[in-house]
Amino acid sequence: MAGLNKVVGSYEQALEGLSNDMTIMVGGFGLCGIPEGLISQMVTSGVTGLTAISNNAGVDDFGLGLLLKSRQIDTMIASYVGENATFEQQMLSGQLKVILTPQGTLAEKIRAGGAGIPAFFTATGYGTPIAEGKETREIDGRHYVLEPSLTADFALVRAWKADTMGNLVFRKTAANFNPMMATAGKITVVEAEHIVEPGELDPDHIHTPGIYVNRVIQGKFEKRIEQRTVKAAPVIL
Amino acid sequence: MALSREQLAQRVAQELKDGFYVNLGIGIPTLVANYIPEGIDVMLQSENGLLGMGEFPTEQTIDADLINAGKQTVTAVDGASFFSSAESFAMIRGGHVDLTVLGAFEVDEQGSIASWMIPGKLIKGMGGAMDLVAGADNIIVTMMHADKKGNSKLLPKCELPLTGFGCIKRVLTDLAFMEIKDGAFHLLERAPGVSVEEIVAKTAGKLIVPEHVPEMIF
């Protein structure tokens, strides 16, 4: 790693500085677009007391479910956690603190955090349990809830293509929370499917400019599918 | 006869208009995609970052990077676009989606909706439901009119924790199609063969019944 070349050669280097009780953001929607190798490295590193910000909590044996099983996460900030029995058991027994956050509010909290906006008003959740204890305001006859933004010590992001300077392109619905999280980490680490040289990505087609990115690592992905749904193959007569 | 799941989807589909951008929730709302009327163009929005959702893929075209909000593998139609979750909810919160269809446990005469949490049962989270009900002006809730014991799910005031406050204007149940305004349910249509008396008996909230209540046409 030198100058603007952000490529690191090992997962240890990718997560150098990660320590107990840190806040981490992890990209992905379900198992789609998750930084698989970086999650594995967190398990290997043995750090504990983490606060994890991610839309979901993975499944029992994949994604963030791995970090739950090893009890490395203390607090989880997510919008939907329905696919993970380990998660349910730890939540019910009180081992895991869970802050459920509406999906759009979660996305905007992260976007705002990366953009230097400390909080924002949204109509989402007004009059519901998630607004309890929060400041509200009426603006032009509508009620809004004040939601603080989110940042993290580490943001772990999965990209389709990265150049060595950290410019990123995402693929299809694997983008999801990754672009915002890339902006909201004190240290943003990108696990890419492909790493290319500067100039190979069309500047018009870059989703995340390299200024947000600190480290890039070549990833290895299983790309597990959570709900494999296909239509019947056409019958050839 | 009470409407089947397919008939609920068919009746909602009659509300689709040419050029609509539509978000369909999980469950019965998803089935609406099967009944888009011939000759109209509709783009389906999936809140995980897809505008222009297509049908399920084949074994040959399946792609782990292309899923819907229910985490099912899908395809994208010609003219589709992909974007981040923040962009997706800018569309939703900003009121750019023409029609949102979602399910509920309870709805009340003020237009509040409860759909995500039953105290004492496991809480899985609200996903995007709170954003959808707060952001969309045009929402149709599809739900059962009453539970298996006949207890109404259309109430004076929701008993379960809310998903959204005062945001629902139209409800389609297995028995009736209703509008919510001025603090009451207004009966618009009834399911074929279902009597007004049955609907009245199974509606706990204030219900306004006009002189003539037409049957739904399929």
Side-chain angles (χ1 to χ4, degrees), chain B residues 18-200:
Chain B
D18 202 13
F20 262 19
Y21 293 95
V22 180
N23 183 293
L24 302 176
I26 292 164
I28 290 168
T30 304
L31 300 176
V32 174
N34 298 332
Y35 299 103
I36 297 169
E38 292 262 337
I40 75 165
D41 288 324
V42 169
M43 281 288 238
L44 300 178
Q45 204 256 18
S46 188
E47 64 264 25
N48 57 314
L50 164 59
L51 188 60
M53 178 166 60
E55 58 190 354
F56 293 138
T58 63
E59 285 291 348
Q60 287 70 43
T61 58
I62 199 164
D63 185 341
D65 289 343
L66 183 44
I67 63 168
N68 64 17
K71 305 184 179 84
Q72 297 170 308
T73 45
V74 292
T75 55
V77 300
D78 288 345
S81 53
F82 301 115
F83 35 82
S84 74
S85 301
E87 181 86 43
S88 181
F89 282 93
M91 293 175 193
I92 291 165
R93 204 186 301 103
H96 304 281
V97 176
D98 296 301
L99 175 67
T100 294
V101 186
L102 42 77
F105 302 141
E106 296 173 348
V107 168
D108 72 27
E109 60 192 35
Q110 300 299 328
S112 292
I113 173 172
S115 66
W116 72 284
M117 177 181 173
I118 298 176
K121 287 201 179 172
L122 190 72
I123 301 157
K124 294 191 166 187
M126 67 296 283
M130 284 191 182
D131 308 279
L132 282 160
V133 298
D137 198 39
N138 189 9
I139 303 171
I140 298 177
V141 170
T142 60
M143 62 190 290
M144 294 298 116
H145 207 100
D147 68 16
K148 283 177 185 134
K149 294 174 190 159
N151 297 314
S152 181
K153 296 180 170 203
L154 306 177
L155 305 172
K157 194 169 189 305
C158 286
E159 290 162 9
L160 295 169
L162 295 185
T163 306
F165 176 81
C167 50
I168 305 301
K169 291 174 189 151
R170 288 193 293 174
V171 182
L172 176 69
T173 72
D174 52 335
L175 304 182
F177 194 31
M178 289 149 292
E179 186 179 8
I180 303 174
K181 62 178 181 187
D182 307 325
F185 296 99
H186 295 252
L187 186 54
L188 301 176
E189 295 174 19
R190 58 200 167 91
V194 170
S195 67
V196 169
E197 290 70 29
E198 182 181 355
I199 295 165
V200 170

Side-chain angles (χ1 to χ4, degrees), chain A residues 106-128:
Chain A
L106 182 61
E108 191 63 15
K109 277 168 167 276
I110 299 164
R111 195 201 69 79
I117 295 167
F120 56 92
F121 282 106
T122 177
T124 301
Y126 178 80
T128 77

Side-chain angles (χ1 to χ4, degrees), chain A residues 60-77:
Chain A
D60 284 311
D61 62 344
F62 203 60
L64 283 186
L66 296 170
L67 275 171
L68 288 166
K69 200 178 252 180
S70 53
R71 301 222 178 140
Q72 291 171 268
I73 297 175
D74 270 9
T75 304
M76 183 83 217
I77 300 175

Side-chain angles (χ1 to χ4, degrees), chain A residues 81 142 171 173 223 229 231, chain B residues 55 63 65 73 124 127 134:
Chain A
V81 293
R142 224 181 149 195
R171 183 171 181 272
T173 57
K223 289 202 179 183
T229 43
K231 64 174 180 180
Chain B
E55 58 190 354
D63 185 341
D65 289 343
T73 45
K124 294 191 166 187

